[in-house]
C-alpha cells in the first residue's frame, strides 16, 4: 500500500508569493502520475513538499495515512528511505563507480554485502546498464547517467518514486526510454510521481495533472493500454 | 497503526543492520584516510608532536617527583650547639628531639668527636691540637619518611628557641627547591596539556572539515536517500578517531625516541644529585592512556565539526 494524499496543500514564500494554493489530490497506489506545468508553476516546490524537504504553509501530505509534514527530522529521514528520487541532474558521485552509486541507498539501510551486490546487479540489469557497473560516471552519456540514477532510485524497492524533470537534459528518444522505465514500476508495487514540463512525455498516460496558477487539475487523456511487466529488481 | 509502527514497517531492513552500517562507515573512513595518505601522515605527525609535549612534561615531573621522594628518604638536619654548652642541657635537647614523632633517629656528636673526625679527614693533627677545639657539639637528626614539611618546620622552630642552639643546618634545602621545580613543571604540564589538547581538537576539526567539504555532493545525495544526520556524521567521526589514535601512537613513539636519546645524560644527572633511581619511561598503561587521550580528542574535534558543518549545510537538502 502506498497511497499519497495531498489535503488543501498551500505554499507561500516569504515574499508573499503564493506558489501553491489549496491543492487536494490523491495519487493512487501503484500508479504512474505526471504533473505537468510550465517553468515556475511550482512543480519543484510540490516535489520538495512530497519529499519532506520543505513544509507546506498549510494543508497536509499523507503517505499511507501518515502526515509527513508532522514528522521529526529522524522520521523524515526514515520516510525518505521508502522513497526513490530521480532528479534532472542525475547527481551521481563522480569518484565512485556505478555500482557504488546504485548501492548508496542500500548502504543507508545497512543491507548485507551479498544482498547489495544482488540488488544492484538486478537494478542495473533493469535499466540495461549491467555492463558498466565498474565504470565511473564520467564514462557514461547523460541518458545513461540518468538511467543509473533511476537504478539507484529503485534499488531499495521504494514504495514511492518521485522524479523532478528526469528528462530535462535529454532528447525525445531518450526521454521516452526513461518514461518506459517509469511504466514498469507499478508492477513492482511502487507509486510514481513525475514532474515535467514536457507534455509529450505524458501521451497516453492515465494519471496526468496540470499545475497552473497554483492549483492542480486532472487532465483528461486518451489512455493507452499498457505495458509489459518488468522484472523485479 | 501508530506512526512508529508505520515507520518501522516502511523501513524494515534497518532492523539489526546497525553493525553493518557502522562497519561500512568505518571502512569508508579508512578508505578516505588511505586515499589521502600524505595528509593523514601530516595530521598524525601534528597530533603526535602536540601530544608528546605534555606527555614529556608529565614524564619530567614524574621523574622529579620520584627523585625527590628517594632523596627525601635521607632527609635530616644537624643542630649545632653553642661551644661550652653543658652536657645536661644538650641531653635535654636530644631527648626533646628524640621524642618527636617526625624523627627517625638522633645521633649526638661531641666537640671532641667532631675534632677527631676532622683530623681524620683533613690530616691537620698538630695545628688543631695546639689550639682550643673550635668545633661545636652537634646532633644529627634523620626525619621519618613522608613527613610533611610543615611538621619539620615546626620542630626546627622549637629547636631554634633553645638558647644553646647556635644554628641548624637543614640538609635538604635543595630538595625543597626540587619540589618547587616539580610544582612548576607540574603546573606547566597542565597548561601545555590544555593548550596542546585544544590544538589536537583544532587539528582534527580542520582536517575533518576539509573531508566534509570534499564529500559535500555525496552528503547531499545521501541525505536525499534517507541518511540520518547520525549516519552522515559517522564516517567523519571515525576519521577523527583514527586521526587521534594515529596521533597518539606517533606521540608515544616520539616520547620513547626522546627518552632513548636522553636516558644516559639524565641518569648521569640524577647520579650527580646523589640519586640512584632509573629514569621512569612510559609503561604500557601510560602509553595506552596517551593513545586513549589522543583518540578521545580526535573524537571530540570530529564530533564538533561534523555536528556544526552538517547543521550549517542544511541547504544541501536541496534538489537543485
Amino acid at each position: 500500500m502506498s497511497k499519497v494524499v495531498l489535503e488543501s496543500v498551500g505554499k507561500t514564500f516569504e515574499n508573499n508569493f503564493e506558489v501553491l494554493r489549496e491543492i487536494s489530490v490523491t495519487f493512487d497506489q501503484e500508479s504512474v502520475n505526471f504533473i505537468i506545468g510550465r517553468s515556475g508553476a511550482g512543480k519543484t516546490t510540490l516535489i520538495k513538499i512530497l519529499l519532506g524537504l520543505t513544509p507546506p504553509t498549510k494543508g497536509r501530505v499523507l503517505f499511507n495515512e501518515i502526515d509527513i509534514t508532522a514528522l521529526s527530522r529522524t522520521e523524515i529521514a526514515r520516510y525518505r528511505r521508502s522513497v526513490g528520487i530521480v532528479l534532472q541532474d542525475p547527481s551521481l558521485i563522480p569518484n565512485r563507480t556505478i555500482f557504488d552509486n546504485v548501492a548508496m541507498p542500500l548502504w543507508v539501510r545497512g543491507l548485507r554485502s551479498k544482498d547489495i551486490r544482488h540488488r544492484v546487479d538486478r537494478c542495473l540489469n533493469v535499466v540495461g546498464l549491467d555492463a558498466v557497473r565498474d565504470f565511473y560516471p564520467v564514462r557514461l552519456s547523460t541518458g545513461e547517467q540518468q538511467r543509473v540514477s533511476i537504478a539507484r532510485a529503485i534499488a531499495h524497492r521504494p514504495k514511492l518514486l518521485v522524479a523532478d524533470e528526469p528528462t530535462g537534459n535529454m532528447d525525445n528518444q531518450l526521454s521516452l526510454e526513461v518514461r518506459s522505465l517509469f511504466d514498469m514500476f507499478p508492477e513492482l508495487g511502487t507509486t510514481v510521481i513525475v514532474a515535467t514540463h514536457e507534455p509529450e512525455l505524458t501521451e497516453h498516460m492515465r494519471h496526468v495533472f496540470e499545475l497552473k496558477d497554483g492549483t492542480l487539475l486532472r487532465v483528461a487523456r486518451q489512455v493507452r493500454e499498457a505495458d509489459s511487466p518488468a522484472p523485479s529488481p | 497503526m501508530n506512526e512508529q509502527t508505520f515507520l518501522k514497517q516502511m523501513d524494515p531492513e534497518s532492523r539489526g543492520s546497525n553493525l553493518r552500517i557502522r562497519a561500512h562507515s568505518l571502512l569508508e573512513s579508512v578508505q578516505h584516510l588511505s586515499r589521502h595518505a600524505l595528509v593523514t601522515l601530516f595530521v598524525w605527525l601534528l597530533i603526535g608532536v602536540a601530544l608528546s609535549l605534555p606527555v614529556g612534561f608529565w614524564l619530567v615531573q614524574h621523574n622529579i617527583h620520584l627523585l625527590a621522594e628517594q632523596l627525601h628518604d635521607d632527609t635530616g638536619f644537624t643542630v649545632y650547639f653553642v661551644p661550652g654548652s653543658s652536657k645536661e642541657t644538650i641531653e635535654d635537647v636530644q631527648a626533646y628531639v628524640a621524642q618527636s614523632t617526625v624523627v627517625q633517629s638522633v645521633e649526638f656528636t661531641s666537640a671532641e668527636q667532631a675534632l677527631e673526625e676532622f683530623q681524620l679527614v683533613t690530616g691537620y693533627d698538630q695545628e688543631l691540637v695546639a689550639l682550643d677545639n673550635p668545633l661545636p657539639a652537634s646532633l644529627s637528626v634523620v626525619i621519618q619518611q613522608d613527613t610533611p614539611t610543615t611538621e619539620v618546620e615546626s620542630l626546627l622552630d622549637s629547636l631554634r628557641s633553645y638558647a644553646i642552639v647556635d644554628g641548624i643546618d637543614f640538609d635538604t634545602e635543595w630538595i625543597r627547591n626540587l619540589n618547587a621545580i616539580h610544582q612548576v613543571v607540574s603546573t606547566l604540564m597542565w597548561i601545555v596539556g590544555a593548550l596542546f589538547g585544544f590544538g589536537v581538537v583544532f587539528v582534527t576539526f580542520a582536517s575533518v572539515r576539509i573531508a566534509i567539504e570534499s564529500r559535500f555532493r555525496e552528503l547531499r545525495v545521501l541525505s536525499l536517500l534517507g541518511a540520518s544526520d547520525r549516519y552522515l556524521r559517522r564516517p567523519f567521526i571515525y576519521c577523527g578517531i583514527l586521526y587521534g589514535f594515529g596521533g597518539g601512537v606517533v606521540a608515544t613513539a616520539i616520547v620513547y625516541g626522546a627518552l632513548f636519546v636522553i636516558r644516559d645524560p639524565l641518569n648521569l644527572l640524577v647520579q650527580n644529585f646523589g640519586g640512584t633511581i632509573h629514569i621512569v619511561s612510559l609503561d604500557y598503561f601510560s602509553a595506552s592512556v596517551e593513545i586513549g587521550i589522543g583518540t578521545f580528542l580526535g573524537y571530540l574535534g570530529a564530533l564538533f565539526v561534523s555536528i556544526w558543518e552538517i547543521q550549517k549545510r542544511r541547504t544541501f537538502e536541496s534538489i537543485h
Side-chain angles (χ1 to χ4, degrees), chain B residues 64 178-188:
Chain B
I64 290 175
L178 198 62
N179 279 328
I181 292 170
H182 170 257
Q183 286 296 323
V184 171
V185 173
S186 181
T187 308
L188 269 177

Side-chain angles (χ1 to χ4, degrees), chain A residues 10 15 18 24 34 38 51 55 58 90 93 98 100 102 119 130 140 179 219:
Chain A
N15 59 4
E18 190 178 29
S24 295
F34 282 86
R38 59 175 175 75
L51 293 174
K58 59 183 178 185
I93 308 306
I98 298 305
D100 282 353
V102 178
R119 284 214 200 173
D130 32 3
L140 306 188
R179 197 200 71 178
V219 178

Side-chain angles (χ1 to χ4, degrees), chain A residues 44 53 63-64 66 71 73 75 77 80-82 85 91-93 96 107-110 119 164, chain B residues 3-4 6 10-11 13 17 20-21 24 28 217-218 220-221 223-224 226 229 231 314 317 319-320:
Chain A
T44 297
L53 290 170
F63 180 70
N64 292 346
I66 296 295
L71 297 180
R73 279 198 57 75
E75 288 166 338
R80 280 195 210 134
R81 279 174 233 164
S82 64
I85 300 172
S91 296
L92 303 183
I93 308 306
R96 290 199 182 270
W107 294 341
V108 173
R109 293 165 77 96
R119 284 214 200 173
D164 186 34
Chain B
E3 254 174 55
Q4 285 306 318
F6 165 75
M10 271 204 305
D11 190 20
E13 285 158 323
S17 58
R20 283 192 294 276
I21 290 176
H24 182 262
E28 289 277 303
R217 186 181 170 92
E218 190 170 332
R220 172 178 163 267
V221 172
S223 180
L224 289 173
D229 285 0
Y231 181 95
R314 267 287 142 249
E317 281 197 337
I319 55 179
H320 283 148

Side-chain angles (χ1 to χ4, degrees), chain B residues 163-176:
Chain B
I164 61 165
V165 171
D166 192 27
I168 297 173
D169 187 1
F170 192 55
D171 305 334
T172 55
E173 193 68 37
W174 69 273
I175 293 180
R176 283 202 288 180

Side-chain angles (χ1 to χ4, degrees), chain A residues 98 123-133 140 143-149 151:
Chain A
I98 298 305
C123 290
L124 286 173
N125 181 260
V126 166
V127 299
L129 289 173
D130 32 3
V132 300
R133 75 194 289 273
L140 306 188
E144 286 172 327
Q145 288 190 19
Q146 193 60 295
R147 277 150 65 193
V148 172
S149 84

Side-chain angles (χ1 to χ4, degrees), chain B:
Chain B
M1 187 191 321
N2 68 31
E3 254 174 55
Q4 285 306 318
T5 312
F6 165 75
L7 287 166
K8 276 180 184 165
Q9 281 187 3
M10 271 204 305
D11 190 20
E13 285 158 323
S14 67
R15 277 176 287 182
S17 58
N18 265 345
L19 200 63
R20 283 192 294 276
I21 290 176
R22 284 165 198 273
H24 182 262
S25 297
L26 183 61
L27 186 67
E28 289 277 303
S29 307
V30 171
Q31 283 172 344
H32 175 82
L33 297 195
S34 58
R35 273 197 302 268
H36 303 88
L38 204 62
V39 174
T40 303
L41 201 64
F42 185 65
V43 172
W44 280 347
L45 278 174
L46 268 178
I47 293 176
V49 170
L51 279 178
S52 63
L53 284 170
V55 174
F57 269 104
W58 175 77
L59 276 177
V60 169
Q61 70 97 22
H62 189 55
N63 278 294
I64 290 175
H65 177 70
L66 289 178
L67 178 62
E69 259 189 356
Q70 193 230 336
L71 295 175
H72 197 270
D73 291 350
D74 306 325
T75 300
F77 55 86
T78 307
V79 181
Y80 295 102
F81 296 101
V82 174
S85 301
S86 71
K87 193 180 174 189
E88 292 73 22
T89 50
I90 289 175
E91 283 174 351
D92 285 347
V93 174
Q94 185 175 0
Y96 173 74
V97 172
Q99 56 82 41
S100 170
T101 54
V102 304
V103 171
Q104 185 177 307
S105 65
V106 186
E107 191 183 346
F108 174 69
T109 305
S110 66
E112 292 74 27
Q113 286 170 321
L115 181 62
E116 282 171 21
E117 281 178 20
F118 186 80
Q119 284 175 328
L120 206 63
V121 171
T122 61
Y124 291 132
D125 287 354
Q126 300 308 317
E127 294 85 344
L128 285 170
V129 169
L131 299 169
D132 286 340
N133 183 1
L135 299 177
S138 63
L139 288 178
S140 296
V141 182
V142 176
I143 302 293
Q144 297 275 15
Q145 286 182 30
D146 301 325
T147 303
T149 312
T150 49
E151 289 187 28
V152 179
E153 290 290 352
S154 169
L155 177 63
L156 293 175
D157 287 344
S158 308
L159 289 172
R160 284 189 191 105
S161 66
Y162 284 90
I164 61 165
V165 171
D166 192 27
I168 297 173
D169 187 1
F170 192 55
D171 305 334
T172 55
E173 193 68 37
W174 69 273
I175 293 180
R176 283 202 288 180
N177 293 338
L178 198 62
N179 279 328
I181 292 170
H182 170 257
Q183 286 296 323
V184 171
V185 173
S186 181
T187 308
L188 269 177
M189 178 194 75
W190 286 110
I191 293 170
V192 170
L195 285 174
F196 282 85
F198 177 77
V200 170
V201 171
F202 182 76
V203 167
T204 316
F205 187 99
S207 308
V208 172
R209 185 164 182 262
I210 292 168
I212 290 176
E213 280 181 355
S214 72
R215 292 178 64 185
F216 177 72
R217 186 181 170 92
E218 190 170 332
L219 291 179
R220 172 178 163 267
V221 172
L222 283 168
S223 180
L224 289 173
L225 295 175
S228 62
D229 285 0
R230 192 175 290 181
Y231 181 95
L232 297 177
R233 283 198 301 265
R234 195 171 285 128
F236 302 109
I237 289 176
Y238 288 167
C239 264
I241 287 173
L242 291 171
Y243 279 143
F245 179 82
V249 171
V250 170
T252 307
I254 290 174
V255 170
Y256 274 124
L259 281 172
F260 179 76
V261 172
I262 64 168
R263 182 181 298 273
D264 288 343
L266 261 178
N267 268 324
L268 189 65
L269 184 68
V270 170
Q271 281 164 14
N272 288 344
F273 276 95
T276 55
I277 58 165
H278 295 289
I279 297 302
V280 172
S281 178
L282 280 181
D283 55 15
Y284 287 126
F285 176 74
S286 309
S288 305
V289 168
E290 183 184 12
I291 293 169
I293 288 172
T295 306
F296 177 69
L297 293 175
Y299 163 77
L300 271 190
L303 181 70
F304 289 152
V305 72
S306 59
I307 288 175
W308 187 53
E309 281 291 312
I310 287 172
Q311 195 66 35
K312 194 177 79 177
R313 293 169 187 274
R314 267 287 142 249
T315 49
F316 63 46
E317 281 197 337
S318 161
I319 55 179
H320 283 148

